[in-house]
Amino acid sequence: MSSSTLGRIRWAAAIAGAVVAVTSAVSWVVPGEAAAAACNTVSSGSGGLAGGGAYGCAKAGELLDVRIGDVLPTQPSLGYDEVYYKLGRYTLGKDEINKKFDDWCEANGQGVAASATPGAKLSDPSSFACTIAVGKETADSIAPMKTVVIGPGGQAYLTDGHHTLTSFLETPDGGANSHVRLRVLDNLSNLSTQDFWDRMKANGWVWLQDVVGKPIQVGQLPRTLGLANFADDKYRSLMYFGRDIGYEAGTIPFQEFYWGAWMRDSNVVGDWNRNDPAAYLAAVKTVTEKQVALGAGTVVAAGKTAGELGALAAWNDGKAATKGEFAKLSVPYSEAKPGKIAYAIEYRLRNKR
């Protein structure tokens, strides 16, 4: 199990209680059922944004089936290059079983893809199979699932998974009508709009800074997923590629945004050529080496310390540059299993992004 997955298990246990208890009574809540309708008699003036509005019955710990186009963002930007990497894996055809099915199965709490028919589509889960059946989820399979909070009007607010769900939406055989399950952190639909957002801020479940660090208002958040609705945060992109090299992912919500703010405000690496694999890789190396050199007690951003944000004790988890995650990241696109940066650049260049 990777350190990123372990980090998500710890985070899941901290914010959702005993995850094992969830696995013993997994619920699949389907919008539109009679019971759901009875829970959602909330006036249109309750303050929810445009979206599904049909998730008011969901309880904390439930695995909630959602239409991707109904989920509401809680951050104003994405690391576009993370999405480009995923779309590159999904569309450039180098995997025996396409990575999108692995990602969907993981996001749905069902492990990884076991098989896929020749015409399999992300929008049709019956066309591929996951290693864990619905109803057989475990604590380990639930931990990496993306998370949601139910707000006024029964709206579903995504608190983790903006990049993954946007990738599902953007890929040709996905789209806004595709479905995936999300783990419910809490149901706050009984709160007023003001109290809801106050709670979201207090719990760290919303990110209200733009790409230059300027505070934004809740009303400035995107109203739906999709690349065109988000600003491009290059620092968030670079931090994604630094996972398990400079830090362990999954310790707190919006972890990479805190690191990105440190990187931007401290001018850790300056600018870099995002279309040059060597330059991008060198930037990742510089930033991650500085991460591990900080010391666990060093305040990084907004009062969060390097330790809280998962800084590793040793660069590349103590491995040489020719080993471990950095070695995987370094593989060029010409190889059978390219690295993440190579995929991102190849996809961007081919699609003139």
Side-chain angles (χ1 to χ4, degrees):
M1 182 183 298
S2 71
S3 60
S4 296
T5 301
L6 287 171
R8 289 187 181 279
I9 291 173
R10 297 188 191 107
W11 177 25
I15 60 181
V19 175
V20 174
V22 176
T23 68
S24 64
V26 169
S27 299
W28 190 314
V29 181
V30 180
E33 291 182 346
C39 292
N40 290 309
T41 54
V42 183
S43 71
S44 59
S46 63
L49 300 175
Y55 306 108
C57 284
K59 297 180 177 64
E62 288 183 349
L63 309 185
L64 177 68
D65 178 70
V66 301
R67 175 183 174 273
I68 290 176
D70 289 343
V71 181
L72 302 175
T74 55
Q75 64 189 53
S77 58
L78 293 173
Y80 273 31
D81 290 348
E82 177 179 344
V83 177
Y84 292 162
Y85 152 66
K86 292 177 184 292
L87 293 176
R89 288 291 298 270
Y90 299 172
T91 63
L92 298 181
K94 289 216 172 192
D95 297 296
E96 183 177 352
I97 296 178
N98 197 294
K99 182 66 162 59
K100 63 190 169 188
F101 302 126
D102 273 344
D103 287 354
W104 189 94
C105 290
E106 180 181 74
N108 213 53
Q110 294 183 256
V112 296
S115 62
T117 64
K121 295 182 178 180
L122 202 65
S123 58
D124 179 11
S126 69
S127 65
F128 58 93
C130 304
T131 54
I132 299 173
V134 170
K136 302 296 184 180
E137 297 85 354
T138 67
D140 285 352
S141 74
I142 287 174
M145 291 181 72
K146 309 310 178 184
T147 52
V148 69
V149 172
I150 310 304
Q155 304 281 3
Y157 290 86
L158 190 65
T159 54
D160 177 48
H162 292 77
H163 294 78
T164 296
L165 267 64
T166 292
S167 300
F168 294 164
L169 186 151
E170 294 285 349
T171 199
D173 63 327
N177 288 325
S178 298
H179 281 243
V180 71
R181 290 187 300 174
L182 303 173
R183 182 166 52 82
V184 179
L185 291 182
D186 206 349
N187 187 323
L188 306 177
S189 60
N190 62 322
L191 298 181
S192 69
T193 301
Q194 184 63 53
D195 288 346
F196 168 73
W197 286 111
D198 286 347
R199 184 78 65 84
M200 291 288 281
K201 293 173 188 176
N203 289 341
W205 290 342
V206 60
W207 184 261
L208 294 173
Q209 291 184 31
D210 66 15
V211 296
V212 297
K214 180 180 177 181
I216 66 165
Q217 301 300 312
V218 167
Q220 295 173 271
L221 290 170
R223 292 176 176 266
T224 188
L225 297 174
L227 274 174
N229 301 306
F230 292 87
D232 180 14
D233 188 334
K234 66 180 182 179
Y235 302 106
R236 173 62 179 76
S237 287
L238 188 145
M239 293 315 311
Y240 170 70
F241 297 128
R243 288 183 176 186
D244 297 320
I245 301 172
Y247 72 102
E248 173 190 350
T251 59
I252 63 171
F254 303 107
Q255 177 186 18
E256 285 94 345
F257 281 107
Y258 289 109
W259 278 120
W262 160 77
M263 180 182 166
R264 178 193 64 232
D265 296 343
S266 302
N267 196 29
V268 173
V269 74
D271 205 0
W272 68 98
N273 185 346
R274 294 166 71 185
N275 287 327
D276 181 343
Y280 214 139
L281 195 64
V284 171
K285 189 172 189 293
T286 296
V287 170
T288 52
E289 286 175 339
K290 291 185 178 181
Q291 278 182 298
V292 301
L294 286 172
T298 303
V299 174
V300 171
K304 305 295 184 184
T305 66
E308 290 176 293
L309 293 173
L312 294 177
W315 183 78
N316 200 30
D317 205 21
K319 300 177 179 69
T322 55
K323 304 289 184 180
E325 291 302 314
F326 191 77
K328 294 178 186 177
L329 189 68
S330 306
V331 179
Y333 184 75
S334 57
E335 297 294 323
K337 295 182 178 181
K340 292 178 179 178
I341 288 175
Y343 265 121
I345 293 174
E346 186 72 16
Y347 179 84
R348 179 169 52 239
L349 294 178
R350 288 194 190 196
N351 291 275
K352 298 181 172 60
R353 297 281 190 165

